[in-house]
Amino acid sequence: MASRSTETIVGAFVLLGLASLAYLAINLGNLSLGAERYVVYAQFESAAGLKPGASVEVAGVEVGRVDEITLAVDRARVTLSLAKSVKLQDDAIASIRTKGIIGDKYVQISLGGSNRIIPPGGLIRETESPIQLEELIRRFVLGKV
Amino acid sequence: MRMRRVRLHHVVPLILVLSVIVLLASSARASEPRLLVEASVEEVLRIVSNPDLKGLEKAAERRRQLRQAVSRRFDYTEMARRSLATHWSRRSEPERQEFVDLFSKLLESDYAYKIETYSGEKIVVVDQQIDGDYAKVRTAVRLKHEDVAIDYKMLKEDTDWKVYDVMIEGLSLVNNFRSQFNRIILSSSYDELIKTMRVRVADLDALVSPPARNHQGGTPGTP
């Protein structure tokens, strides 16, 4: 009897440990479980500096993350995974912006006013590529044209 | 063998007819986005560099012609709707019309003011990308040291293409207006936005038009 209850307690601890590990893995790895998210795509002329895992914000509120950045012919195709509760109109504009002056790049979405909503797997048509600080400096140094 | 030769005989005129159709179709592509942009740019440059329309006393007439040329290619309602974004649905039909009217005046005055500084720079159409009812025509203004990229985003309306956004060096005009309008509406009110726009239009008009015509687009309620 005694050994039986010891075994049960050990088993319970092992399960607890596994559950904690899983919780850690999901949280640290930024994995998202469940169906509360959907994916949309956006094409940028350049995604310079943007990294997978970067946040997607609407009005400064994080509503999703950058999943993947791939090359589509000559443009960058960015996969965004967004919270289900966020609805993007087809005239929403996705811009790659910088946090602060030299901070990380993130995707900022300004909501539109159209009645048509971008469905899961759809494309954000209106995009703005990041402003290159070096480019601006170059222009400044080489003289205003 | 004979049968085949007869068939070939029939096929030749068919090929001729087909190639004529293809030729006709390609010449009927006059309403292609890039050609439309090219034509509009040419027209605007013609007006701006027309010696008969130079000088302060000709400003009103030059302005009228510019307005006409630009409004033919721009869809002001679509631009205004996209710029007002989430606030558009909260406005009544007369309010929307008033907004579109004011918005188009603001754009035209701004555009006319900027184009006045034109001094013979070359403007070239780089390419066009068409995706269904959407198109992007990339143009470049050739300056002394480098190019400034100006892209026109167009929407197909029946058989015509109209501009709904202009990207200058990759930055969207609509997005710029959208964030400014949103900030004004949220920090004060929609009425305040209308007031600000009226003042801006009057200011821009004053820069271009001779003083006597300053207040023709004028506004009650200008502080």
Side-chain angles (χ1 to χ4, degrees):
Chain A
M1 275 302 268
S3 73
R4 182 77 182 272
S5 75
T6 312
E7 275 167 15
T8 313
I9 290 167
V10 169
F13 267 101
V14 168
L15 281 179
L16 195 73
L18 280 177
S20 312
L21 256 180
Y23 175 79
L24 264 180
I26 288 167
N27 261 312
L28 292 179
N30 282 322
L31 291 176
S32 51
L33 294 179
E36 302 90 33
R37 296 199 156 225
Y38 71 105
V39 160
V40 289
Y41 301 94
Q43 280 193 346
F44 295 92
E45 276 179 15
S46 158
L50 190 71
K51 292 187 178 61
S55 65
V56 180
E57 297 183 359
V58 173
V61 179
E62 184 172 320
V63 296
R65 287 187 175 274
V66 172
D67 261 4
E68 200 183 5
I69 303 168
T70 52
L71 191 65
V73 194
D74 59 344
R75 274 169 281 177
R77 182 182 164 94
V78 176
T79 311
L80 310 173
S81 109
L82 304 174
K84 262 268 154 64
S85 56
V86 177
K87 300 266 178 283
L88 299 182
Q89 302 80 1
D90 71 349
D91 56 344
I93 302 176
S95 325
I96 299 178
R97 296 275 164 90
T98 312
K99 280 188 175 141
I101 296 174
I102 46 165
D104 289 342
K105 291 275 194 305
Y106 68 103
V107 177
Q108 192 214 301
I109 300 179
S110 72
L111 296 180
S114 164
N115 295 326
R116 287 183 299 260
I117 301 295
I118 299 175
L123 181 77
I124 304 177
R125 202 172 273 282
E126 312 302 329
T127 60
E128 286 177 321
S129 296
I131 301 170
Q132 306 273 40
L133 198 63
E134 315 83 276
E135 181 78 8
L136 292 179
I137 293 171
R138 191 174 64 87
R139 283 190 186 199
F140 184 73
V141 170
L142 293 182
K144 200 170 156 58
V145 278
Chain B
M1 269 316 257
R2 179 168 266 184
M3 274 296 279
R4 252 183 213 170
R5 207 175 295 152
V6 170
R7 263 188 207 155
L8 197 68
H9 222 71
H10 280 276
V11 163
V12 172
L14 187 68
I15 290 174
L16 273 175
V17 168
L18 275 177
S19 47
V20 167
I21 289 174
V22 167
L23 274 175
L24 280 176
S26 58
S27 65
R29 278 189 321 191
S31 60
E32 226 182 84
R34 68 174 295 161
L35 297 177
L36 293 173
V37 168
E38 238 159 33
S40 293
V41 167
E42 268 168 30
E43 195 180 349
V44 165
L45 293 189
R46 206 165 39 234
I47 296 168
V48 177
S49 43
N50 184 354
D52 294 343
L53 292 171
K54 287 248 189 281
L56 214 56
E57 65 282 359
K58 297 282 170 54
E61 173 59 15
R62 184 175 57 222
R63 215 37 199 294
R64 197 189 58 78
Q65 293 197 11
L66 275 177
R67 217 163 244 183
Q68 215 175 25
V70 176
S71 66
R72 202 173 299 145
R73 197 47 52 218
F74 278 61
D75 183 347
Y76 291 131
T77 312
E78 183 68 19
M79 288 183 98
R81 191 181 63 72
R82 283 170 181 260
S83 299
L84 206 54
T86 45
H87 304 285
W88 177 263
S89 60
R90 285 170 219 155
R91 313 280 30 133
S92 66
E93 198 46 49
E95 276 180 321
R96 286 177 186 177
Q97 261 159 28
E98 184 202 23
F99 182 81
V100 171
D101 188 48
L102 204 51
F103 181 81
S104 59
K105 277 200 185 117
L106 182 70
L107 261 186
E108 283 166 351
S109 306
D110 196 31
Y111 186 78
Y113 172 60
K114 288 204 177 106
I115 202 86
E116 300 285 304
T117 60
Y118 174 78
S119 51
E121 290 86 359
K122 206 165 179 286
I123 300 174
V124 290
V125 173
V126 180
D127 65 0
Q128 65 173 4
Q129 298 154 4
I130 303 178
D131 178 16
D133 283 348
Y134 293 84
K136 180 157 118 181
V137 178
R138 300 204 295 170
T139 70
V141 181
R142 299 238 185 277
L143 297 179
K144 222 182 291 163
H145 298 291
E146 58 190 326
D147 292 357
V148 174
I150 301 183
D151 303 347
Y152 296 91
K153 295 201 140 194
M154 303 174 95
L155 203 56
K156 195 174 188 177
E157 287 167 14
D158 297 325
T159 55
D160 204 8
W161 291 86
K162 292 270 183 97
V163 175
Y164 69 88
D165 195 2
V166 183
M167 313 280 291
I168 299 167
E169 284 288 292
L171 293 179
S172 153
L173 193 71
V174 163
N175 208 14
N176 178 39
F177 279 125
R178 188 182 282 180
S179 63
Q180 290 187 49
F181 291 167
N182 190 44
R183 197 172 54 232
I184 295 173
I185 292 173
L186 292 184
S187 64
S188 39
S189 67
Y190 175 76
D191 294 332
E192 190 60 40
L193 171 66
I194 295 289
K195 223 158 120 186
T196 313
M197 284 170 80
R198 281 199 175 125
V199 173
R200 181 85 184 121
V201 169
D203 284 353
L204 283 168
D205 276 347
L207 285 171
V208 182
S209 313
R213 292 197 180 91
N214 264 359
H215 294 292
Q216 84 190 135
T219 67
T222 321

